[in-house]
Amino acid sequence: MADPSTRAIRFATAYALMRMAADLGDHWIQSDHQAVTKGEHDENEGQSSRAGRIACTAHVATYTATQAVALFAGSRAIGLRLKPSRVADALALSAATHWWADRRIHLKAIADATGKGNFYTLGGPMGGSYALDQAFHHTVETVAAVIAASER
């Protein structure tokens, strides 16, 4: 079993790399089309669920690739030995939950069910819904970083 301080260093590094890559992937790498279209659903006039799923999938692919490059290159550059299988597990969790959240209807349903519906709509798309989206992603990235840092 590794020294707890070594595990803590691996966790902190994995989290920092994943968080940086998430911001990069969400705000610089994601195309405008993906950002605008990924939450579309047929029940909203003029929107397409198929278009939304395709845009969200394309966004999550580049987002996950950005996190993968950051984790592998960053950990290699500082001499940290993250197990590739654990990194793959962490990236799979990050990708799956990111897609789920970025389709938007799921987080809105949770916000409504927990009494956060008004906050969700506060300030338009870059207000409450964005804050709740980012809080969800940060939470999952923390769990993913624990997975990436683990030895088993």
Side-chain angles (χ1 to χ4, degrees):
M1 180 182 252
D3 178 339
S5 63
T6 302
R7 288 194 311 260
I9 290 167
R10 282 200 314 267
F11 163 75
T13 302
Y15 181 79
L17 292 168
M18 289 188 83
R19 181 83 298 272
M20 175 281 303
D23 273 347
L24 184 63
D26 254 353
H27 303 113
W28 284 99
I29 305 290
Q30 177 176 209
S31 73
D32 183 59
H33 171 76
Q34 291 165 351
V36 170
T37 309
K38 68 186 179 185
E40 286 191 359
H41 295 278
D42 290 336
E43 54 274 357
N44 297 328
E45 189 173 322
Q47 294 188 355
S48 162
S49 289
R50 182 175 187 277
R53 288 189 303 272
I54 291 169
C56 195
T57 300
H59 162 56
V60 171
T62 59
Y63 174 92
T64 306
T66 303
Q67 284 191 321
V69 168
L71 277 170
F72 284 112
S75 65
R76 183 176 180 97
I78 63 173
L80 191 65
R81 295 176 188 253
L82 297 176
K83 286 183 71 174
S85 63
R86 301 309 289 163
V87 169
D89 292 343
L91 292 170
L93 174 66
S94 179
T97 58
H98 198 92
W99 192 94
W100 181 87
D102 276 15
R103 290 293 288 137
R104 298 192 178 123
I105 59 170
H106 309 295
L107 286 183
K108 176 151 184 11
I110 291 172
D112 289 341
T114 59
K116 295 284 187 193
N118 288 335
F119 180 71
Y120 185 90
T121 59
L122 181 69
M126 291 304 289
S129 62
Y130 178 76
L132 292 173
D133 170 84
Q134 290 300 297
F136 176 82
H137 294 320
H138 288 226
T139 301
V140 172
E141 285 158 14
T142 301
V143 174
V146 169
I147 293 168
S150 67
E151 293 182 334
R152 297 178 208 156

